[in-house]
Structures are given as structure tokens and as C-alpha cells.
Amino acid sequence: MTEMEFWTAGEIASRIRDGAVSSREVTARLLERIAADSTVNAVVETRAEFALEAAAAADEAVAAGREVGPLHGVPMTVKDSFNVTGLHTTWGNPAFAEYVADWDATVVERLAAAGAIIVGKSNVPRMLADFGQTSNEVYGRTNNPHDPSRTPGGSSGGGAAALAAGMTYLEYGSDLVGSIRLPASYCGVYGLRPTAGVAPMHGFQPPGPPAIPTEFPDLSSLGPLARTAADLRIALQVTGGPTVPYSPELPYSWKLLPPRHKVLADYRVGVVLDHEQAPVTSGVGAALSDAVDALSKNGVEIVEGWPTEVDPIGQAEALGFQLGLFFAVNGENPDFASLADVLEQEHQRIAARVAWQRYFADVDVFLCPTSFTTAFPHDERPFEERAIDGTPYDAQAFWISQASLTGLPALSMPVATSGLPVGVQVIGPWHGDDTVITFAELAADVIGPVAG
């Protein structure tokens, strides 16, 4: 790839504002790369004419000296499960193959308001129902750019693969059971699952009229994938906050809480790198161990072991119950559990969050594997028959379950490795999104792969 393909979203926006490059040039070249792709199959639909017109308008705004947003002129993609006017919303389901959205999801509206140009959609598994792979009957299978015989992960696999292959500069996805973090790890990019509820869910839905909002606990979280932690911050800042009526008299604003520290050596970091429930492979273990050693050598205080009040196996099992409840609420198996069971599980869920919050009173972030493995070969067998080198397929959910159950912010960042990408997961305190982003941004200088 040429130098331009390695630029970050923030760099592109800055160069467009400075007149060093035009949005139309960047967008046209991105569309060319997408059209030429015959291997990865990550971006499955584009709106080229719209994108080029929007890019030309972005360049005119710069030439006229008008005030522009932090993502001004940056071409990007979003997961197929978001409504985008003029594009199909299929969720990888043949039953929805002909549906074309005529309204935008709130996240899409906010990205556009920040100047981003949504050029197209990234691939997903059918109904987002696979956290390890991305394949469906509508658009086919997405491959990992590092090795096309392997998976990019799921369900935001298309977006992670597009970033790694130079076919987008920024992506917005969703994460229920690691669907942002696992693909980010397998493809060697950054992926953030924000604090639960930070990014509005409106317009993230299967085809149909706008869904009626619910206050029932929803463990799914919407968040960005990017090539750097800094881009995650930009994307979350412009999309986060509740959906509220806007009026010029009462303008709405929202901002991230500041990070706990801005110097790497000031961080106190909890670390667990292995567990019998999802034992890491030798390659993953070595890469993560080297990363922790590098952090320690650069002044980071390392605190080994699980939080005293946290039961990692119990919390992983509790997430399993919550997933069953999630599907029951959405129309599957309404007799899934009794009210008494639901209340008991809700108590456990909140108690788990409280336990982690107590831990984060003295520790700034917690590091653990994103997955026990690197990207593995495609596996088309039924879900229950799959395994990864003898480890159960659903063991991928163990490491990501702690943040998924509790709603805590967590991101996956790539660490230096000589083989396939390895991701380390950074979990932080409730609404400490910029703390995990800033830590990852600082840590990348000592544990991340060399850019480009």
C-alpha cells in the first residue's frame, strides 16, 4: 500500500483542513481500492456518487474558510447493521436483502455532522450471530487480510478487515460478545467497546420502522474501530451522549471524562495473562508477556492477579445467562427464565460492576488477552461442532465477558509480534473511556507494532 493508505482518520482530516490533500482525492482512491478488492470482501456496498459529491463539498468548505468538524472530509464505513440512507441494511440475512434504508441511524447522523463521509457498509455474519467469523448468504465470506485462509473475527469482521486492508479510514461497529474487540485483535487494529449506553442505539436495528426505545438492560454497545487509539477518541467524542431533542436555543453538548493520567509511567495497571478456562496459545502468551515487560521497563506499575472480589468464571457464566435473556426479550424463547432467576442474575450483574469499580479505585486499567488465540482458519461447520486447536469455540467469549457483563469500557489494541496479530484488552472504570483510550495511545509507543 502507498503512504496514503496508512494515514489515520485524524491525519486525513488535518491534511484536508490544511489544504495538503483534497477529500475528493482521498475518497476517490479509497473507492478504487474497494472496487479492486478480490480477496478480502470486507466492504460489501458503496455509494460512490454520493461520496464523491460530499467530498467535493468538503473541499469547497475548506476553500471558503468555513468552520469544519474533526472528521471533515474523511471517508469511512459502518457496519451493515446501521441504517444509512440509500444503502441496504441486510444484517447478512437473505430475508432483508432488498431492504434499502431511507433514514440514518443516530450514530451515522453524528458522524456526518462531524464531517465524515459514509462511503459504504462492511460485512457481518447473519444477524450478527457469530463472534468468531464473518460470513452470510447475501455477501459471502470476509477474509483476514493478513492471511485470507483465516477469519477476521465477527461480528464486526468486515470493518476490522477493511481497516487492516486499507479499504476504510474509520469504522463504526457493535459489541455484545466481543464483536468489536475480537475482530480488532484478529486483524491487528484498534477497537473500542465504550461504556454501556454511551453511543445511542437508534437506527442500529433490523429493517423496519424505528424501534421503540427500551430501558431494559441491553448489553450491546456501539463503538468505533480504527488504526490508532487517537482515532477512537475522535469517533467516540462526536457520537457519544444520549439522544435528546436539539434546538438552537438549547444546544446539546457532550464530552468524555478526562483520562486519569497523561503520562504512561503514572498508570497503575492490573494484569492477568492466562486462565484455564481459555488458555492462551504460546504465541499469544509470549507477545502479551513481552508487552507487559515493556510497560514495566517504562515505569508502569504492574499489579498481577484478578481483582479480589471478582469471580472470572462466575462472571463469564453470568454473561451466558444474560445473552439468553437478551434473546428472550427480542422474541426468542419467552419462557427462558423465571422472574426470580432474572432478578437474581440482575443482582449478580450489578454486583460484578461494583466489584470492578472498587478495584478501579486503586488501579487505573486492567490488561488481559482479547482472545486466547490469533486468527484461526475459516470453519463452516455448525456452531456447536467448532473448536480451535482443541479449545472450545465459545472460549473466545471468556476474556471479553468481564466487560460485556459489567458494561465497562474496554478496547483491544495490537501488540508487537512477529506472526499474526495479537490483541491485548484494556478494561477501565465505568465511564473511564478516555482513560483506556489514553493508556492505549501512550502504551502503543512501547508495545505496539511499528506503523506502516
Side-chain angles (χ1 to χ4, degrees), residues 272-275 278 306 368-370 372 397-402 425:
V272 171
L273 298 184
D274 204 359
H275 195 282
W306 290 97
C368 65
T370 305
F372 68 90
F398 175 79
W399 292 106
I400 57 85
S401 64
Q402 313 304 318
Q425 186 176 194

Side-chain angles (χ1 to χ4, degrees), residues 83-86 99-106 109 202-205 208-211:
N83 273 351
V84 178
T85 300
Y99 177 83
V100 177
D102 59 3
W103 57 285
D104 290 335
T106 298
E109 291 178 340
H202 181 70
F204 173 81
Q205 62 172 72

Side-chain angles (χ1 to χ4, degrees), residues 30-31 34-35 43-51 77 86-87 118-121 167:
L30 182 66
L31 288 167
I34 294 171
V43 180
V44 292
E45 185 181 17
T46 60
R47 48 178 184 174
E49 184 177 352
F50 167 89
T77 52
L87 292 177
I118 310 299
V119 301
K121 293 280 200 80
M167 289 186 283

Side-chain angles (χ1 to χ4, degrees), residues 159-360:
L163 280 163
M167 289 186 283
T168 192
Y169 291 105
L170 188 66
E171 164 78 10
Y172 224 93
S174 65
D175 188 311
L176 176 61
V177 189
S179 287
I180 287 173
R181 290 164 287 165
L182 288 170
S185 178
Y186 296 149
C187 292
V189 298
Y190 289 76
L192 172 69
R193 174 196 164 93
T195 299
V198 163
M201 303 288 289
H202 181 70
F204 173 81
Q205 62 172 72
I212 297 174
T214 176
E215 294 186 355
F216 193 87
D218 189 345
L219 301 185
S220 187
S221 185
L222 309 181
L225 295 94
R227 293 205 184 105
T228 65
D231 279 356
L232 296 178
R233 181 186 297 108
I234 297 170
L236 186 60
Q237 182 64 68
V238 303
T239 55
T243 304
V244 296
Y246 171 82
S247 71
E249 295 77 21
L250 295 171
Y252 171 72
S253 64
W254 177 87
K255 63 181 181 179
L256 292 161
L257 291 175
R260 288 188 175 183
H261 310 290
K262 295 184 178 181
V263 176
L264 181 62
D266 290 342
Y267 278 83
R268 195 163 188 257
V269 177
V271 172
V272 171
L273 298 184
D274 204 359
H275 195 282
E276 60 184 7
Q277 288 294 110
V280 300
T281 64
S282 59
V284 169
L288 295 182
S289 180
D290 288 347
V292 172
D293 287 346
L295 290 171
S296 180
K297 290 176 182 177
N298 281 272
V300 174
E301 181 181 356
I302 303 298
V303 181
E304 296 186 356
W306 290 97
T308 303
E309 299 179 61
V310 168
D311 172 10
I313 296 177
Q315 291 188 10
E317 292 173 348
L319 177 63
F321 179 93
Q322 291 289 342
L323 291 175
L325 183 59
F326 171 84
F327 291 118
V329 169
N330 286 277
E332 295 184 20
N333 190 14
D335 298 324
F336 167 73
S338 68
L339 177 59
D341 287 339
V342 171
L343 293 176
E344 171 59 25
Q345 289 291 330
E346 277 301 288
H347 173 78
Q348 290 187 30
R349 184 176 70 86
I350 299 303
R353 182 188 297 169
V354 170
W356 277 100
Q357 280 299 92
R358 288 184 180 134
Y359 174 75
F360 285 126

